[in-house]
Amino acid sequence: MQTATAAFDLDKWEPQSEEKADNTEFARVAIAKTFTGEVEGTSTVEMLTAVTETGRAYVAFERFSVAVEGRKGSFVLHHSAGEAGYTLTILPGSGTGDLTGITGTAAIEQDSAGAHTFRLTYSLP
């Protein structure tokens, strides 16, 4: 497995719909990001969230149009997060171009100043 790291900026965070049912607030959010570093390009995200007084969770699909260490293409990252933690996994079969066959996982970190770091752990055939 290889690792590629990039900084990213949130270009868009737009709630598309919000609803409250019983004790839970639901939202759908459209997000856009720009990546710089070993992952270079953009992504768009469709995210669904659910929040209660004592818990929160989300699921999202992020479509990347990027170069990973110079290899150009696209892939989809599946996000799933809740009280037990989170996973970011490349959707099998979603890679295109030079990223065809890509598999792996990712992690997102945010420092105290609010800067985001994206770390992709991946394998290519």
Side-chain angles (χ1 to χ4, degrees):
M1 293 291 248
Q2 297 174 283
T3 301
T5 303
F8 72 88
D9 292 318
L10 287 172
D11 301 320
K12 176 173 83 170
W13 180 283
E14 293 179 0
Q16 303 296 299
S17 64
E18 297 176 347
E19 174 186 340
K20 186 165 184 171
D22 300 319
N23 296 334
T24 306
E25 293 180 25
F26 298 95
R28 184 170 65 89
V29 181
I31 302 166
K33 302 175 185 175
T34 300
F35 295 82
T36 54
E38 295 170 328
V39 177
E40 189 87 26
T42 61
S43 73
T44 57
V45 184
E46 290 290 327
M47 180 172 69
L48 299 173
T49 65
V51 180
T52 66
E53 286 185 24
T54 58
R56 62 181 43 225
Y58 83 90
V59 62
F61 290 97
E62 184 167 7
R63 295 178 300 272
F64 284 80
S65 179
V66 293
V68 177
E69 298 185 300
R71 297 178 74 169
K72 295 180 180 179
S74 64
F75 62 91
V76 174
L77 190 65
H78 173 212
H79 297 235
S80 181
E83 296 304 311
Y86 78 102
T87 60
L88 306 175
T89 307
I90 296 173
L91 183 65
S94 67
T96 67
D98 295 339
L99 302 178
T100 298
I102 191 169
T103 60
T105 61
I108 297 172
E109 300 168 2
Q110 185 175 9
D111 68 18
S112 59
H116 293 91
T117 301
F118 176 75
R119 186 171 280 82
L120 183 66
T121 303
Y122 69 97
S123 180
L124 279 165

